[in-house]
Amino acid sequence: MSNLDLRPAPTVCGGRQDVTARPVRELLAAKQVPLGESTMVRRLLPNLGRRMVGAWCFIDHYGPDDIAQEPGMQVPPHPHMGLQTVSWLHDGEVLHRDSVGSLQTVRPGELGLMTSGRAIAHSEESPREHARLLHGAQLWVALPDGDRHVAPMWEHHAELPRVTGGGGLRATVVLGELDGAASPGTTFTPLMGADIALAAGTDTRLPVRPDFEYAALTMSGEAEVDGVRLAPGSLLYLGCGRAELPLRADVDSAFMLLGGEPFEEKIVMWWNFIGRSHDEISQAREDWSSGSRFGEVHGYDGAPLPAPELPPVPLKPRGRTR
Ligand code: MN
């Protein structure tokens, strides 16, 4: 997915000073962002109140939308740098094409994981013949300095490990590890992401890592996470310092638990790029505009997305950079 803001704001994130070492319960509201002509997404990260959770730096939740009479998702070719994208669906399907030659339909419960490394371009679309409902999340993971220039790659994992817990908890491990079960998806920093379904009446505790910070994103229903009832459209930041997470649900619910070791490097995020300086971002923008570095996406019926204008003020990562 692309950030389709016509005037995307630069975001500086990372660094320990934003991280809450003890458990907290910060409820963050989504911002409604148009994606194309017919779709609205709920952007949970970056958020006015918080910019990263571990290396997770971007969260869009969309749907469920009835797209029976609509083209659905139509995101033209656009570039990425310095990050991984995670495509995760509850309903529908997304056809992914990219400049390393991948052509893959991602379906509910399957992980579409794209590592942009130094440069990749991709498009995402609902196939012509598609399911009535489209519902999912698009997440980005920042790459650490030592790995952000790796060669671009695409991974599709149709089989992911599952974890079952007390009283109707069923989790799918999307990235990283949960309760001893590990996703096959490639990661570059210690982090985890899981889709957790709670059957009505569930009242349990999930083991988590005290050195990770966590956040919960409701996908459906109304999960109660550490006593906070979470309707879709909000993100609950939980901080670090927990060994277990109390979970309850009065109705069938599903939420994503995202966590990771606090990301200590300062990064600059603008449009679809993550870099460390204004010049890097500016160069990436120029390379995309001139058709170099990012490669070509074949088969998408439409023109690539033009890069928006850079803001007049230079982008600066604040504080210490590493
Ligand atoms: Mn994208």
Side-chain angles (χ1 to χ4, degrees), residues 1-2 75 78-80 85 114 122 124 138 140 272:
M1 196 168 282
S2 171
V75 183
H78 60 277
H80 285 291
T85 65
M114 188 177 78
H122 74 149
E124 293 155 293
Q138 169 82 191
W140 296 356
N272 296 313

Side-chain angles (χ1 to χ4, degrees), residues 37 45 73 109 131 140 157 165-166 207 210 239 290 320-321:
E37 285 167 15
L45 272 188
M73 183 184 291
W140 296 356
H157 300 288
S290 67
R320 191 164 60 99
T321 49

Side-chain angles (χ1 to χ4, degrees), residues 93-112:
E93 56 279 291
V94 170
L95 178 60
H96 164 96
R97 305 172 195 269
D98 65 39
S99 54
V100 295
S102 316
L103 176 64
Q104 179 72 53
T105 302
V106 180
R107 297 195 160 81
E110 303 177 352
L111 169 62

Side-chain angles (χ1 to χ4, degrees), residues 5-17:
D5 281 2
L6 290 176
R7 290 180 186 280
T11 307
V12 176
C13 27
R16 276 259 170 194
Q17 67 267 37

Side-chain angles (χ1 to χ4, degrees), residues 10-321:
T11 307
V12 176
C13 27
R16 276 259 170 194
Q17 67 267 37
D18 288 344
V19 176
T20 309
R22 61 193 167 75
V24 293
R25 290 175 293 186
E26 284 177 18
L27 196 57
L28 306 168
K31 180 180 158 193
Q32 301 278 334
V33 177
L35 184 75
E37 285 167 15
S38 56
T39 312
M40 289 295 278
V41 303
R42 292 174 285 281
R43 180 150 306 155
L44 285 315
L45 272 188
N47 194 296
L48 277 179
R50 188 150 293 278
R51 291 154 175 178
M52 291 183 90
V53 179
W56 298 99
C57 59
F58 182 96
I59 304 173
D60 271 356
H61 176 219
Y62 53 91
D65 292 323
D66 187 335
I67 58 165
Q69 307 301 323
E70 317 241 358
M73 183 184 291
Q74 298 296 326
V75 183
H78 60 277
H80 285 291
M81 171 180 82
L83 55 89
Q84 291 177 293
T85 65
V86 172
S87 303
W88 184 250
L89 289 169
H90 271 212
D91 293 291
E93 56 279 291
V94 170
L95 178 60
H96 164 96
R97 305 172 195 269
D98 65 39
S99 54
V100 295
S102 316
L103 176 64
Q104 179 72 53
T105 302
V106 180
R107 297 195 160 81
E110 303 177 352
L111 169 62
L113 177 63
M114 188 177 78
T115 301
S116 78
R118 71 178 88 93
I120 200 168
H122 74 149
S123 64
E124 293 155 293
E125 64 200 282
S126 298
R128 197 153 298 170
E129 299 277 321
H130 55 247
R132 184 171 67 85
L133 292 181
L134 180 62
H135 179 204
Q138 169 82 191
L139 311 139
W140 296 356
V141 176
L143 291 173
D145 195 44
D147 297 298
R148 64 196 185 95
H149 303 292
V150 297
M153 64 175 173
W154 164 255
E155 292 168 60
H156 176 243
H157 300 288
E159 297 293 328
L160 295 171
R162 289 172 185 275
V163 171
T164 54
L169 177 149
R170 285 177 61 84
T172 304
V173 188
V174 179
L175 266 192
E177 211 178 292
L178 179 71
D179 203 15
S183 161
T186 303
T187 55
F188 295 88
T189 52
L191 86 168
M192 63 78 61
D195 192 299
I196 300 178
L198 303 176
T202 300
D203 188 348
T204 189
R205 303 175 91 82
L206 183 73
V208 294
R209 286 176 56 160
D211 57 328
F212 274 21
E213 53 179 344
Y214 288 95
L217 164 74
T218 292
M219 297 294 289
S220 60
E222 227 177 24
E224 206 179 293
V225 178
D226 196 17
V228 180
R229 196 168 284 228
L230 271 181
S234 52
L235 184 76
L236 181 66
Y237 177 72
L238 293 157
C240 301
R242 291 164 195 275
E244 53 179 24
L245 191 60
L247 301 175
R248 282 190 71 255
D250 293 328
V251 295
D252 288 351
S253 302
F255 72 99
M256 292 195 82
L257 182 67
L258 304 168
E261 200 170 80
F263 194 83
E264 295 201 345
E265 294 171 41
K266 286 282 190 181
I267 61 177
V268 181
M269 182 154 87
W270 177 81
W271 194 39
N272 296 313
F273 304 133
I274 291 180
R276 299 295 184 275
S277 68
H278 178 90
D279 287 354
E280 266 182 31
I281 299 278
S282 168
Q283 187 63 52
R285 183 190 179 280
E286 208 169 292
D287 288 346
W288 173 248
S289 301
S290 67
S292 56
R293 182 163 28 146
F294 292 93
E296 250 182 85
V297 179
H298 296 286
Y300 184 84
D301 185 15
L305 279 180
E309 291 299 323
L310 266 174
V313 183
L315 317 171
K316 241 191 199 151
R318 278 189 307 238
R320 191 164 60 99
T321 49

